[in-house]
Amino acid sequence: MMRVLVFGQTGQVATELARQAGADIAMTCLGRDSADLSDPDACAAIIADTETDVVINAAAYTAVDRAESEEDLATTINGTAPGAMARACAVKGTPFLHISTDYVFDGTGTRPWHPDDVTGPLGVYGRSKLAGEEAVRAAGGPHAILRTSWVFSAHGANFVKTMLRLGAERDKLTIVGDQVGGPTAAADIAAALLTMARAFHAGQGTTGTYHFSGAPDVSWADFAREIFAQSALTPQVEDIPTSAYPTPAQRPANSRMDCSALTRDFGVARPDWRESLTTVLSDLKENFR
């Protein structure tokens, strides 16, 4: 039996981790009421006081635009807290799995980003997540940082659910067409994390930074077209440049990620996000009849 302590309870990935925990896993998921990442020392104390085989941090400050005006809070939750948790894990030799993001890169070019490429976040959210990565590495314990992108699921707020709502309301939508990346189902992220957790528990985990995103890479506009095609909605989608949809935080134009290291070290291949989308839409079907 593998004991897994998860920071996060209601978020997209944490929800899927709980759904996928099999009979071989004793999983404890901590919500904000019992583990608030704005109090890093308290989170570290929980790890120190808990007997567990693996710790997964699936909690984060993810309000990308609001982070521009809440840098201290975003940095505490995304930077300081993961570092404190990783240090507590390192003291006990407990593997620490941490979710990060494509936003640590500046989004230039068109080739997929490799895990060891030079980072260059464009805004507060990316800087806060990069601070977390650096703190986790500095802790010196067994760990894996999993950078992912464009997360979607049947839970919480995400692009798929927004498109379903707007697609049912409007005949035409303008969607950004010059940002490209890999949509990634939260269920696939959870499955990858559990595979990695099992590897570490068996003494076969490899410490490092990894990329994981769905395939094939697409624009937001093409992602929307597939959502509508699979859900039988018929709004016209018009591609627009990022400049036509200004936001407080700048988004990376190129979020393509090279995921080969994860396949090499853990046997986790890139999932086809279109198949995962079909599953998510099935989960949501009752809400869109």
Side-chain angles (χ1 to χ4, degrees), residues 173-217:
L173 293 170
T174 54
I175 310 291
V176 170
D178 58 358
Q179 295 174 24
V180 177
T184 318
D188 292 327
I189 298 171
L193 288 167
L194 291 176
T195 295
M196 297 167 78
R198 289 187 176 97
F200 273 103
H201 187 229
Q204 299 169 349
T206 304
T207 287
T209 301
Y210 297 92
H211 289 176
F212 182 67
S213 63
D217 295 317

Side-chain angles (χ1 to χ4, degrees), residues 105-122:
F105 296 112
D106 64 10
T108 56
T110 57
R111 74 164 179 81
W113 295 99
H114 293 260
D116 57 355
D117 280 338
V118 175
T119 53
L122 300 173

Side-chain angles (χ1 to χ4, degrees), residues 20-45:
Q20 294 185 35
D24 65 325
I25 296 176
M27 183 174 290
T28 301
C29 295
L30 304 176
R32 190 177 301 172
D33 56 339
S34 55
D36 189 340
L37 270 68
S38 65
D39 187 348
D41 290 340
C43 294

Side-chain angles (χ1 to χ4, degrees), residues 30 52 68 72 85-86 121 143 153 161 190 222 274:
L30 304 176
T52 188
E68 293 298 309
D72 288 346
M85 290 188 282
H143 71 270
S153 70
K161 294 176 75 174
D222 284 336
R274 296 165 298 190

Side-chain angles (χ1 to χ4, degrees), residues 36-40 43-44 57 75-86 96:
D36 189 340
L37 270 68
S38 65
D39 187 348
C43 294
N57 180 30
T75 301
T76 297
I77 293 173
N78 291 343
T80 309
M85 290 188 282
F96 182 64

